[in-house]
Amino acid sequence: MVDLFLNHVLVENNWDQDELNTEREIVGILENRILMLFFASAECEKCRKFVPVLNEFFKRLKDPAYIEYPKLLALIYISLDQSEEQQERFLKELHKKVLFLAFEDSYRKELQAMFKVKDVPTVVVLRPDCSILSLNAVQDICRSGADCFRNWQESSELIERSFMLNEEFDDLNLRSATDPVRRIKYKTEDDKRKKRWWKLWGKGKDGHEEEEEQDGEWNTKRKEGDKGTWRRR
């Protein structure tokens, strides 16, 4: 999926319209994500009616106000507008986390031909490896809403690594975001062994003082030549 846009500039639909024009930026925002390509035009009445539905769908999956962990999903608007003014007007109606290609980028037309888009609105859904999940998911989004993503995720075998257990990583130094909570709720064998060890040897200051006192008594009896059995007092 990343390869589709590596040699192009993606623009964020925020107030500043920040450009993502380096390989690192493109990879960072598209890698290991399901990609939605939204082909539409401001002149299309069906497109304008679909925008609120698409915004709600995207918001439910990406907006921290609705979901604690944003899903691995990216939405790119592929404009089929006749003028830059039309594109700008349409972008104002779209969610601020949507990406888009600049109007002057002819790659918009190449993508239209690549995915054989003839009607709008069209939402092409791609797996992370660029294979096609759906040639047009508009009806699915209208009918099922955010539940679509679960089906897409299962079909693409997408892994949300932030929720993987620490033992599942090759690098054991990596920890998931939920690891501290998991270790509290589900005690591991290491935790249990440590707990038993501390119970055996004593905890805190009192435990150390008791050990020191015992050591002192043992040394004294050795000096006095007491060869009897040492007993803990």
Side-chain angles (χ1 to χ4, degrees), residues 180-211:
V181 176
R182 180 179 61 83
R183 292 185 70 84
I184 292 173
K185 188 173 181 180
Y186 306 102
K187 294 292 185 181
T188 64
E189 288 302 317
D190 288 341
D191 296 330
K192 293 176 182 177
R193 283 196 292 270
K194 287 179 182 178
K195 189 174 182 180
R196 289 196 296 268
W197 189 89
W198 279 109
K199 280 186 176 180
L200 178 64
W201 291 100
K203 296 181 180 180
K205 183 177 179 181
D206 294 339
H208 292 303
E209 288 179 351
E210 186 176 1
E211 291 174 7

Side-chain angles (χ1 to χ4, degrees), residues 154-171:
E154 291 176 357
S155 177
S156 61
E157 299 181 351
L158 183 67
I159 300 174
E160 297 192 52
R161 295 188 178 275
S162 58
F163 297 96
M164 291 176 64
L165 299 181
N166 184 44
E167 291 82 358
E168 293 175 344
F169 284 106
D170 293 332
D171 182 358

Side-chain angles (χ1 to χ4, degrees), residues 32-61:
N32 192 41
R33 282 168 171 77
I34 289 174
L35 178 61
M36 300 168 60
L37 302 180
F38 176 39
F39 294 85
S41 168
E43 291 184 330
C44 170
E45 184 178 355
K46 289 183 179 180
C47 296
R48 295 196 301 271
K49 289 182 177 180
F50 177 64
V51 165
V53 178
L54 182 63
N55 282 342
E56 182 66 16
F57 169 87
F58 195 63
K59 186 165 56 176
R60 293 283 177 180
L61 293 168

Side-chain angles (χ1 to χ4, degrees), residues 4-218:
L4 278 177
F5 295 95
L6 272 186
N7 297 320
H8 300 273
V9 177
L10 288 174
V11 186
E12 294 182 300
N13 190 36
N14 54 25
W15 180 263
D16 297 323
Q17 293 196 342
D18 298 317
E19 293 186 351
L20 307 175
N21 53 17
T22 67
E23 180 176 343
R24 182 177 181 180
E25 290 173 329
I26 299 296
V27 170
I29 205 165
L30 296 184
E31 189 176 40
N32 192 41
R33 282 168 171 77
I34 289 174
L35 178 61
M36 300 168 60
L37 302 180
F38 176 39
F39 294 85
S41 168
E43 291 184 330
C44 170
E45 184 178 355
K46 289 183 179 180
C47 296
R48 295 196 301 271
K49 289 182 177 180
F50 177 64
V51 165
V53 178
L54 182 63
N55 282 342
E56 182 66 16
F57 169 87
F58 195 63
K59 186 165 56 176
R60 293 283 177 180
L61 293 168
K62 297 293 288 187
D63 198 323
Y66 292 88
I67 187 167
E68 186 175 2
Y69 298 101
K71 297 300 182 181
L72 299 175
L73 179 70
L75 175 59
I76 301 179
Y77 173 51
I78 310 298
S79 168
L80 300 183
D81 295 299
Q82 299 302 312
S83 68
E84 188 171 4
E85 290 73 20
Q86 287 181 348
Q87 176 173 306
E88 290 296 326
R89 187 168 67 250
F90 199 74
L91 285 169
K92 289 179 181 179
E93 304 299 323
L94 288 171
H95 195 280
K96 299 307 177 185
K97 290 186 179 293
V98 171
L99 304 170
F100 66 94
L101 291 167
F103 183 78
E104 61 271 13
D105 192 340
S106 60
Y107 192 51
R108 297 181 297 114
K109 298 296 184 180
E110 292 182 36
L111 288 171
Q112 181 185 11
M114 185 185 304
F115 295 104
K116 301 178 181 179
V117 175
K118 297 179 180 179
D119 300 319
V120 288
T122 290
V123 176
V124 178
V125 184
L126 303 176
R127 297 182 180 89
D129 63 0
C130 279
S131 60
I132 297 173
L133 265 171
S134 175
L135 280 173
N136 194 353
V138 169
Q139 293 300 322
D140 291 338
I141 293 171
C142 291
R143 182 171 54 250
S144 304
D147 290 339
C148 286
F149 183 82
R150 183 179 302 173
N151 297 330
W152 298 346
Q153 185 176 16
E154 291 176 357
S155 177
S156 61
E157 299 181 351
L158 183 67
I159 300 174
E160 297 192 52
R161 295 188 178 275
S162 58
F163 297 96
M164 291 176 64
L165 299 181
N166 184 44
E167 291 82 358
E168 293 175 344
F169 284 106
D170 293 332
D171 182 358
L172 295 181
N173 291 323
L174 295 174
R175 292 184 181 273
S176 69
T178 59
D179 187 64
V181 176
R182 180 179 61 83
R183 292 185 70 84
I184 292 173
K185 188 173 181 180
Y186 306 102
K187 294 292 185 181
T188 64
E189 288 302 317
D190 288 341
D191 296 330
K192 293 176 182 177
R193 283 196 292 270
K194 287 179 182 178
K195 189 174 182 180
R196 289 196 296 268
W197 189 89
W198 279 109
K199 280 186 176 180
L200 178 64
W201 291 100
K203 296 181 180 180
K205 183 177 179 181
D206 294 339
H208 292 303
E209 288 179 351
E210 186 176 1
E211 291 174 7
E212 291 175 0
E213 188 176 356
Q214 291 172 357
D215 291 341
E217 183 178 355
W218 174 256

